[in-house]
Amino acid sequence: MLLSLSMSENRRAPFIGCHSQQSEDTARFVLLAFCILCYWLLGATVFHILESDCEKNERLNYTDTIDRFLDKYVATGLVNETELERLLQKNAYASKKGLVDSKRPRWDFPGSFYFVGTVVTTIGFGMTTPSTVFGKVALIIYGVPGCAAMILFFNLFLERLITFMAFLMKDCHRRKVEKRRKTRGIPVGDGHPDDYEQVDNWKPSVFWVMLYLLIAASIIAGCASAMFSHGEKWSYFDSIYFCFVTFSTIGLGDQVTIQGTGYENPVLYSLGSFFFMIAGACCVYSMYMVGSIVIKMCLTWILLKLNCIQKVQSIPQTMSPPVNSAGTRV
């Protein structure tokens, strides 16, 4: 039953009754949208400051190079300017398609397998794209069920990973409780309410789960970066950067693996790259999903502090979350 509230009370007090949960979700959604907008503005400002000068310098360098070439060859009549522009366009297109610099074919079977992997995982590097109409239509038809199936795979992976981590953390918690009880001289199984912590109902904190996922993703990224820095002749920092862009399925495409020739063991290197990309994407996706729970907790905490929603239950100082359906505390 809805309570009758005055206009002054309605400004600060939440709706009580059947619409209370909906009001809380709406307030959380509005706050999240505002925070994301501010985050975008902050990111745009940061990258504008960091990258704009570099872009201007690169543009000037390119313009100066073209101008010097035109003064040396076009002005003297040795090169036709129209033919030069056509050649530069052809070279830019060939470079985009990977036809220059002795790169391996992108549309042989291994290259095609690599391409569909970037499609269904939504990485989408962008360096390999279909050129034919039938290829573009096939990509649309192929991508819809493939991306949906891969998202389901990530979700199932997250469920099983959290179940496994919860089992290990719960076992460690049980051992610590038994050790503490033995230290105090309390027999194991003796139900003393002052010390018995209901091990069977204990759930791991979402913060610990997120920390372990971060450690796992860091280990995978570290091992993958060592392999990529050796195979692609990148610096270790560039390899770490590539791992983050790939595992997060951002897929900027400025750095891509398995595009060159002359690898020591191309089959083993391709399998290793595929394994690291899938394993890293699974861990990072899981970490982002758990991180979204942490963000939701923070939004709820902010709304409570602003007195925008009703405080249904007290939140501990440590913000240790209650149990959710995934087996972690939120």
Side-chain angles (χ1 to χ4, degrees):
M1 181 181 65
L2 296 176
L3 299 181
S4 298
L5 300 175
S6 63
M7 293 299 294
S8 59
E9 292 174 341
N10 193 28
R11 293 175 183 175
R12 297 184 61 85
F15 292 101
I16 308 298
C18 61
H19 297 296
S20 60
Q21 183 62 42
Q22 182 179 0
S23 301
E24 179 179 341
D25 292 339
T26 301
R28 191 183 295 113
F29 173 79
V30 172
L31 178 60
L32 178 60
F34 175 77
C35 292
I36 290 176
L37 178 60
C38 293
Y39 194 71
W40 282 1
L41 294 174
L42 175 63
T45 303
V46 170
F47 287 106
H48 170 72
I49 295 174
L50 295 177
E51 298 294 334
S52 60
D53 290 339
C54 181
E55 181 190 26
K56 293 177 182 177
N57 293 332
E58 290 177 346
R59 188 182 299 274
L60 288 176
N61 291 334
Y62 175 77
T63 304
D64 291 341
T65 302
I66 294 297
D67 291 340
R68 286 196 301 268
F69 184 89
L70 293 177
D71 293 338
K72 184 176 181 180
Y73 295 100
V74 176
T76 58
L78 297 177
V79 177
N80 183 273
E81 185 174 358
T82 303
E83 294 295 330
L84 175 61
E85 292 179 356
R86 187 179 295 111
L87 176 62
L88 292 176
Q89 292 175 359
K90 287 286 185 181
N91 183 77
Y93 177 82
S95 179
K96 178 182 177 181
K97 291 294 184 179
L99 305 178
V100 296
D101 299 333
S102 301
K103 293 183 178 180
R104 62 182 302 277
R106 291 182 176 179
W107 290 110
D108 56 1
F109 185 79
S112 300
F113 186 82
Y114 189 86
F115 167 73
V116 297
T118 61
V119 170
V120 298
T121 56
T122 68
I123 295 175
F125 286 124
M127 83 296 178
T128 303
T129 56
S131 300
T132 64
V133 175
F134 289 109
K136 295 176 181 179
V137 172
L139 174 61
I140 296 174
I141 298 175
Y142 181 86
V144 173
C147 293
M150 203 64 195
I151 292 176
L152 176 61
F153 175 81
F154 286 151
N155 287 330
L156 295 178
F157 175 85
L158 174 61
E159 292 178 5
R160 280 148 183 78
L161 180 63
I162 289 183
T163 300
F164 176 72
M165 293 176 62
F167 172 79
L168 294 180
M169 296 171 67
K170 183 176 180 178
D171 185 69
C172 293
H173 178 74
R174 178 184 59 82
R175 294 175 183 273
K176 287 170 36 176
V177 171
E178 291 180 354
K179 182 178 180 180
R180 183 164 60 247
R181 291 170 61 83
K182 290 180 180 179
T183 302
R184 297 179 181 179
I186 303 175
V188 177
D190 190 8
H192 287 266
D194 58 341
D195 192 50
Y196 186 66
E197 301 189 26
Q198 297 180 351
V199 177
D200 293 336
N201 297 326
W202 182 84
K203 302 292 181 182
S205 170
V206 68
F207 297 104
W208 284 108
V209 173
M210 186 173 181
L211 175 62
Y212 292 145
L213 287 173
L214 176 61
I215 294 174
S218 300
I219 293 174
I220 294 175
C223 297
S225 298
M227 185 185 73
F228 292 144
S229 61
H230 176 73
E232 303 293 337
K233 310 304 179 184
W234 295 338
S235 67
Y236 193 79
F237 174 78
D238 287 339
S239 300
I240 288 289
Y241 164 78
F242 168 78
C243 288
F244 169 76
V245 171
T246 303
F247 296 170
S248 302
T249 68
I250 297 174
L252 297 177
D254 53 340
Q255 290 181 272
V256 184
T257 60
I258 324 177
Q259 299 302 305
T261 58
Y263 296 112
E264 296 180 1
N265 194 329
V267 176
L268 184 62
Y269 181 69
S270 300
L271 292 176
S273 299
F274 179 77
F275 167 78
F276 279 125
M277 278 196 265
I278 295 298
C282 286
C283 286
V284 172
Y285 175 85
S286 302
M287 185 178 67
Y288 285 167
M289 290 297 293
V290 176
S292 66
I293 300 176
V294 177
I295 294 176
K296 185 177 181 180
M297 291 169 48
C298 295
L299 294 175
T300 302
W301 181 81
I302 294 174
L303 292 174
L304 287 173
K305 290 297 182 180
L306 296 176
N307 198 23
C308 294
I309 61 175
Q310 186 180 18
K311 190 173 182 180
V312 179
Q313 57 183 1
S314 60
I315 298 180
Q317 294 292 329
T318 58
M319 294 184 65
S320 183
V323 179
N324 75 346
S325 58
T328 59
R329 293 187 297 178
V330 296

